[in-house]
Amino acid sequence: MSADFSSPRGVALVLIVAGALVMVAATVALLVTHEPLVRFVVAAGGAVQILGWLLHLRPRPRPTVVWEIGPDDGDADEWMGERFIWEPGDRDEHGRTGR
């Protein structure tokens, strides 16, 4: 298993942050009220946070698509991987006409 060391995103991030917030709030409530049942809320927040981290670290399939740009036949320009077809009368950002 290869771990992804990027930052958590999406549902994983929501679970991690929500679990941490529940744990902090329940810890404050435990210190204020001394209610023994609040300890279970702290543990539940920890479980939600662990679930988020496990979801983030799950193995994902590698992308199989390879982007290839075909040969330039002279009527297309490329910018950031996108192809723009020049039509007669088109103007670029400087007001110059197309090819």
Side-chain angles (χ1 to χ4, degrees), residues 24-88:
V24 168
T27 301
V28 170
L30 181 64
L31 293 173
V32 171
T33 64
H34 301 289
E35 181 69 33
L37 292 177
V38 179
R39 293 179 182 169
F40 293 111
V41 178
V42 174
V48 168
Q49 191 174 16
I50 289 172
L51 180 65
W53 281 111
L54 290 176
L55 184 63
H56 168 64
L57 294 174
R58 77 186 187 282
R60 296 180 193 100
R62 294 191 177 267
T64 57
V65 176
V66 177
W67 292 92
E68 292 184 11
I69 297 176
D72 188 7
D73 53 2
D75 66 341
D77 282 341
E78 298 172 12
W79 183 73
M80 294 182 64
E82 295 186 28
R83 292 177 60 88
F84 298 100
I85 306 297
W86 287 92
E87 299 292 336

Side-chain angles (χ1 to χ4, degrees), residues 2-10 12-13 16 52-58 60:
S2 65
D4 180 15
F5 295 107
S6 65
S7 298
R9 297 180 185 148
L13 178 63
I16 292 167
W53 281 111
L54 290 176
L55 184 63
H56 168 64
L57 294 174
R58 77 186 187 282
R60 296 180 193 100

